[in-house]
Amino acid sequence: MLSAFCHVESVQWTFDKTTPDDINGELRHLAEFLANKQFDLVINLPMRGGGVRRVSSFMTHGYRTRRLAVDYSIPLVTDVKCTKLLVESMRVTGRNPGMKTHTDCMTSRRIVKLPGFIDVHVHLREPGATHKEDFASGTAAALAGGVTMVCAMPNTNPSIVDRDTFNQFRELARLGARCDYALYVGASDSNWEHVHELATQACGLKMYLNDTFGTLRLSDMAAWQRHLSRWPKRAPIVCHAERQSMAAVMLLAHLLERPIHICHVARKEEIQLIRAAKEKGMRVTCEVCPHHLFLSTRDLERLGAGMAEVRPLLCSPEDQEALWEHMEYIDVFATDHAPHTLEEKQSERPPPGFPGLETILPLLLQAVHEGRLTMEDIKRKFYRNPRTIFNLPEQPQTYVEIDLDEEWTISNNELKTKARWSPFNGTKVKGRVHRVVLRGEVAFIDGQVLVQPGYGQNVRAKIPLPQKSETEGNDLPSDTDVNDTFARLLTEGAAGGTGTGTGMGSRSTTVHFEDDASNTSPAAGSFLRPVSPSPRLRLDSSSNATLKEFLQKNSPNPVAHCLVGKHVISVDMFGKEHLNDIFNLAQLLKSRVTKDRPVDDLLRGKIMASVFYEVSTRTQCSFGAAMQRLGGHVINMDQVTSSVKKGETLEDSIKVMASYADVLVLRHPEPGAVARAASFCRKPLINAGDGVGEHPTQALLDVFTIREEIGTVNGLTITMVGDLKNGRTVHSLARLLTLYNVTLQYVAPPGLGMPDAIMRYLDQRGVTQRTFDSIEQALPSTDVLYMTRIQRERFQTEEEYKRCCGHFIVTPKLMTRANKRTIVLHPLPRVEEISRDFDSDPRAAYFRQAEYGMYIRMSLLAMVVGCRSTAL
């Protein structure tokens, strides 16, 4: 007896047949008890750990008991620890515990499901050095680290430089690989004439421009130029290039108008150069390795000189910090898994390289735990970007389960790699791979690799690459696909999307990611997943061909995006990837417009209804100019010259205008009016401002302006000045800036401060906020000074309005206190808060800000309406 309310009865139960005609023995009677709900709880512990191994042909009585309990929905306990806790709780509480029989499974472990990760830089040492690693051991290590696809490098023995060695390489991988794979081919001084013939079968061409392990190093820039010219532009080229070599090959690739990928960026000057290149529109992507993110010259003494040998070398803490500061410019996380035996590393001539497949994900998860990365960073840089940059197909029914809360210590003894050592041995981390499912099969679970060598598939052989045209010899994706910035916008299928969320039209989801339900997989036959992996890549120098490829003629919606057919009511609907897509398209359109290249085929035949219940100059005119530049037409309605004067309701007006137009732009003085109108509108509706509520398109152009003027948003201090209580522009901007790492400062007249609701919203999202009494106090730390006018129309009396005016005015004298990089923004119109004398200062960005607004609204209209399939 456990308690006054719980009766425990001991039952003698044998499985032997009691009579020849009793075919089920006493089990039949137990089934009757369960079927009649005469048992409230079944406790039955499996035999595991009891020394008995059950083969598939033997079904234990215990299993049959548990199966019956499940079939008849009887609560079942199978764990001895849970049993003890249950009994103890019943004893302490003196009552029956509540049973949640509708819950299939509960656990205290915080398990998240993530995509199968992709390592684009792996050395598996086969052929020629299988004592270090081979395909079987290296891919086992990959699975143990949550990596389901590897791209194997060609600096083997012999080097992979022609069709014969490539076929040998491919056969070894076919026999040994446990996870999926793609294979590189190497560039040598002599193979430039024929190596491009392998472009459709290889992951990419690897060019070694600096000293490393192996013999593959190009001797001069003439060899670089021959390979860069001959290798198809739509196939990846990856370069081991450091310092001056990196700068030289980036310039050469730019002159030859082809994209390149830079491996294992390690130094401050290198990442700064890549940032500058991206901001100039050069088509470059890059990767960084965990040993350069988490190790530096401070670790040399601990590791020892030989064990610390790696190429590029471990750099200074300053270099290491620069990588973290420029994280948004890094496209890919890759291991450069380069195993050597302990004996080799401890010898007089230690070879360079670290094993890393099993430690990269735990280290990145630890960085998430410390707040240095987000889960979205890992998914983007370790899954989506590698897929897009290298044109890798989706792996169906493939995912990784991570226990986010498990704390453990990396140990050499647990590694699957033949090297059996790691520079991170003894490092404490939080987050561990629990299970890996590859193409529907459990490939790894709790330390055990379950799939055999040969299970892995060559992703280049399995899925043919899309052909560009019938007359072109190389069946590779387009230049724009390799450039990858607009891959999300290029994929087909989002036409006519409705509802909320960020799903991509009718695409089916094969893997559910717990913390990102919007992730979807391409339709059957589609090759690229729609992503925007390079948030800072600029295309100001884009060509006509780039836009023509961007506007795929064979796609039902060239600008297919999750915004197609959607209302734009609030900034809360946008995520970081939405912003990247909008900004990237705006940059491309800006480039075309400023170079007098027409884009008037994009929305030809479409009509925008401009419905403004409040007066407007910039918003109304910029939307009108945007629509007309895209080839569309504009019809106008206001409260003065329309039936509103006769008493027509907002809802009726919107219904009527929706029947005439393809998209509506609405401004209304009443907060919430736009959202109300959207519920009656069957066409996409864009909020152009609703009283003191929100102004989402202004917030978009504000952030775009900051990116264009300064180069980044992260790490900035933004000071908002003026009527923060009634200013819908600052309300939307503040909410949108929660997607970035910023500090917000407020300067406002008494009674016109930022609303408490907005400040609470930002505080919940970890945004640092400060309040000052004067601009002078805030200015020294300010990167962006965002001025707003005191809004006369929001005050009841002229006296109240005048009391709030004239407190804060930007003058040339005041701005001597500011940083030389500080920019001044204003949503306009201004009254007296910015002196005209300051307009000539280069930091006065408000008129450029107004121009940027047209490009943002062009981008947004193109995405919301969807472009004509006959464009260009």
Side-chain angles (χ1 to χ4, degrees), residues 462-668:
K462 182 175 65 173
I463 298 180
L465 305 183
Q467 294 187 0
K468 183 181 179 184
S469 70
E470 295 181 359
T471 59
E472 188 163 327
N474 296 313
D475 53 342
L476 291 164
S478 68
D479 286 346
T480 311
D481 293 336
V482 177
N483 193 21
D484 74 62
T485 303
F486 301 112
R488 175 182 292 280
L489 311 180
L490 296 175
T491 51
E492 59 185 22
T498 58
T500 58
T502 56
M504 299 296 291
S506 60
R507 288 187 178 84
S508 61
T509 302
T510 57
V511 179
H512 169 69
F513 303 121
E514 178 184 279
D515 58 339
D516 190 0
S518 65
N519 285 334
T520 55
S521 40
S526 177
F527 190 75
L528 287 177
R529 179 186 179 88
V531 296
S532 285
S534 182
R536 294 298 305 126
L537 189 56
R538 301 202 173 178
L539 295 177
D540 293 337
S541 58
S542 59
S543 64
N544 287 334
T546 302
L547 186 57
K548 288 181 179 179
E549 290 182 2
F550 171 62
L551 302 170
Q552 294 177 342
K553 292 183 179 181
N554 59 349
S555 171
N557 272 289
V559 184
H561 189 274
C562 55
L563 294 181
V564 172
K566 301 294 175 59
H567 302 310
V568 179
I569 307 300
S570 169
V571 294
D572 293 344
M573 70 180 290
F574 297 117
K576 195 69 172 289
E577 287 192 3
H578 295 112
L579 301 190
N580 292 336
D581 292 338
I582 295 169
F583 296 158
N584 288 332
L585 180 55
Q587 287 171 331
L588 180 54
L589 293 169
K590 172 177 174 286
S591 171
R592 297 302 301 272
V593 170
T594 55
K595 294 179 181 179
D596 201 23
R597 296 174 180 172
V599 291
D600 56 0
D601 278 351
L602 300 188
L603 295 184
R604 181 172 295 170
K606 302 292 186 179
I607 295 176
M608 182 190 83
S610 177
V611 184
F612 275 64
Y613 285 73
E614 278 188 328
V615 295
S616 170
T617 302
R618 275 147 301 280
T619 303
Q620 187 170 22
C621 292
S622 64
F623 263 116
M627 191 65 181
Q628 293 185 57
R629 284 189 181 275
L630 294 171
H633 300 281
V634 181
I635 58 176
N636 295 285
M637 177 199 147
D638 59 42
Q639 82 279 17
V640 177
T641 60
S642 68
S643 293
V644 174
K645 297 286 286 186
K646 302 177 183 179
E648 185 175 63
T649 64
L650 172 65
E651 291 80 0
D652 287 353
S653 296
I654 292 299
K655 289 178 182 178
V656 170
M657 298 302 288
S659 66
Y660 302 148
D662 300 287
V663 60
L664 289 80
V665 177
L666 173 62
R667 171 171 287 188
H668 198 280

Side-chain angles (χ1 to χ4, degrees), residues 415-426:
L415 300 178
K416 307 297 180 186
T417 173
K418 283 188 178 181
R420 303 294 293 178
W421 70 276
S422 166
F424 298 102
N425 181 51

